[in-house]
Amino acid sequence: MRIGVEQIGGWRRILIYGALFALGVLLLEWIDYQRLVRSRSSDIWLFLVALGFLVLGIYLGGRLLRAPAPRPFDGNPQARAQLGISDRELTVLEALAAGKSNRQIADALHVSPNTVKTHLANLYAKLEAERRTDAVARGRALGLIP
Amino acid sequence: MRIGVEQIGGWRRILIYGALFALGVLLLEWIDYQRLVRSRSSDIWLFLVALGFLVLGIYLGGRLLRAPAPRPFDGNPQARAQLGISDRELTVLEALAAGKSNRQIADALHVSPNTVKTHLANLYAKLEAERRTDAVARGRALGLIP
DNA sequence: ACGAAAATCACCCGTTCGGGCGATTGCCCC
DNA sequence: GGGGCAATCGCCCGAACGGGTGATTTTCGT
């Protein structure tokens, strides 16, 4: 069985960014206050403020508009359940996509090549494939493998 | 030997971002000038400047520290040339990834299965693969196929 | 016009793969 | 405690595949 990675931070993310922004505003306030009090050169302060927000923006932009994660890759439990693909079969499918031979898969899983063949035969039936390359292609199309 | 992908735009990127930054600075200058001339509320101006640079920063951050790009998929001509993979061989590789048999590939390309076998043998040699699934995996890893 | 590379096809041989059939062992659920 | 299912292993057989070798034609750059 594969685990479902990445799904954290939805709420926390918003909170964190909100907090960061608020912090920036507060900083701005403070900076403005300091400027008035000490009557420093407004040019320098303006530059510092701009620089600070530029950095903040770069940081935010770096995480906010980070490419929509090419594919969180959840293993597509829906399709998997629908087709009734077992844990072992999925494992074999992954090894298949890695380009391994039956022999290699058998060794990696500590089972007989015959067992691998059985798993493969079941996979072919469930994926409606007739060849290993076919199974890989269909498995990928279904999002079962990356 | 493996090739080194992604090394383009390094220079142009720096130039573009440098220009953008310079533009921001100029904008800042202009804004400051306007502020002095019209003697507007410095608070509002400071806020606007901060906001502007925040937006600029988000934009920059969005492209600067972006994940290695989910691969627009260009067929990776570099790797292809480096390995000396011909047009025909690429076509066969694509059909292979689609899960077709030698017979099907031969029919699709209007050639003999023997020819397909030859192309495949060349592909195996160039991709250092021993099986079709292996060739597909390596071809995909190299970005030769989607 | 020549040579190199690509594309095409053929044959042999041994291995792998796919299809079919059967069997045993656990485990869960009712 | 019987039915269902996943996982395991075995055997047989024919088809597909991979490895090797050799050959011809086309294409392209010089």
Side-chain angles (χ1 to χ4, degrees):
Chain A
M1 189 58 179
R2 284 291 159 289
I3 44 83
V5 262
E6 285 290 308
Q7 209 54 257
I8 26 157
W11 258 99
R12 288 178 52 194
R13 194 169 261 189
I14 292 177
L15 284 178
I16 290 176
Y17 294 151
L20 277 175
F21 185 74
L23 214 139
V25 171
L26 281 179
L27 185 70
L28 174 60
E29 290 289 334
W30 178 79
I31 284 171
D32 194 45
Y33 173 73
Q34 294 293 316
R35 186 179 65 78
L36 288 177
V37 168
R38 307 192 195 173
S39 63
R40 288 269 232 127
S41 161
S42 62
D43 286 1
I44 292 182
W45 280 111
L46 198 57
F47 172 76
L48 286 180
V49 168
L51 186 64
F53 272 80
L54 180 67
V55 170
L56 176 63
I58 288 179
Y59 172 75
L60 286 180
R63 358 203 88 235
L64 277 181
L65 358 139
R66 180 189 300 270
R71 188 187 298 171
F73 184 56
D74 53 353
N76 199 354
Q78 286 84 31
R80 210 189 132 196
Q82 207 123 20
L83 298 176
I85 293 177
S86 70
D87 293 3
R88 213 55 166 160
E89 284 160 3
L90 222 204
T91 306
V92 171
L93 180 59
E94 288 166 357
L96 206 63
K100 296 177 185 287
S101 70
N102 286 358
R103 176 90 251 166
Q104 290 173 321
I105 299 176
D107 290 346
L109 300 186
H110 307 295
V111 293
S112 156
N114 295 309
T115 305
V116 175
K117 281 195 59 178
T118 303
H119 289 322
L120 279 179
N122 292 333
L123 270 175
Y124 296 151
K126 292 172 182 175
L127 292 175
E128 298 175 52
E130 293 176 343
R131 277 163 295 287
R132 32 183 56 218
T133 47
D134 205 0
V136 170
R138 292 175 185 273
R140 189 183 311 282
L142 288 172
L144 298 175
I145 44 183
Chain B
M1 192 52 178
R2 281 294 160 288
I3 46 80
V5 263
E6 286 289 311
Q7 209 54 255
I8 27 159
W11 258 101
R12 285 181 55 196
R13 195 168 262 190
I14 292 177
L15 283 177
I16 290 176
Y17 295 147
L20 277 175
F21 186 75
L23 214 140
V25 172
L26 282 179
L27 184 69
L28 173 60
E29 291 289 335
W30 177 79
I31 284 173
D32 194 46
Y33 173 72
Q34 293 294 314
R35 186 178 66 77
L36 286 178
V37 168
R38 305 191 195 173
S39 61
R40 289 270 231 126
S41 161
S42 62
D43 285 3
I44 292 182
W45 279 111
L46 197 58
F47 172 76
L48 286 180
V49 166
L51 186 64
F53 272 81
L54 181 67
V55 170
L56 176 64
I58 288 179
Y59 172 75
L60 285 180
R63 4 200 82 237
L64 274 181
L65 10 128
R66 180 194 298 275
R71 184 181 301 170
F73 184 61
D74 55 348
N76 200 351
Q78 286 86 28
R80 212 190 127 194
Q82 210 118 21
L83 298 176
I85 293 177
S86 70
D87 292 4
R88 214 55 167 162
E89 285 160 0
L90 222 204
T91 307
V92 171
L93 180 58
E94 288 166 357
L96 206 62
K100 295 176 185 287
S101 70
N102 286 357
R103 175 90 252 168
Q104 290 173 321
I105 299 176
D107 291 347
L109 300 186
H110 308 293
V111 294
S112 156
N114 295 306
T115 306
V116 176
K117 281 194 59 175
T118 303
H119 289 320
L120 280 180
N122 292 333
L123 271 175
Y124 296 151
K126 292 171 182 176
L127 292 176
E128 299 175 51
E130 292 177 344
R131 276 163 297 286
R132 32 184 56 219
T133 47
D134 206 0
V136 170
R138 291 175 185 273
R140 186 185 313 282
L142 288 173
L144 298 175
I145 45 182

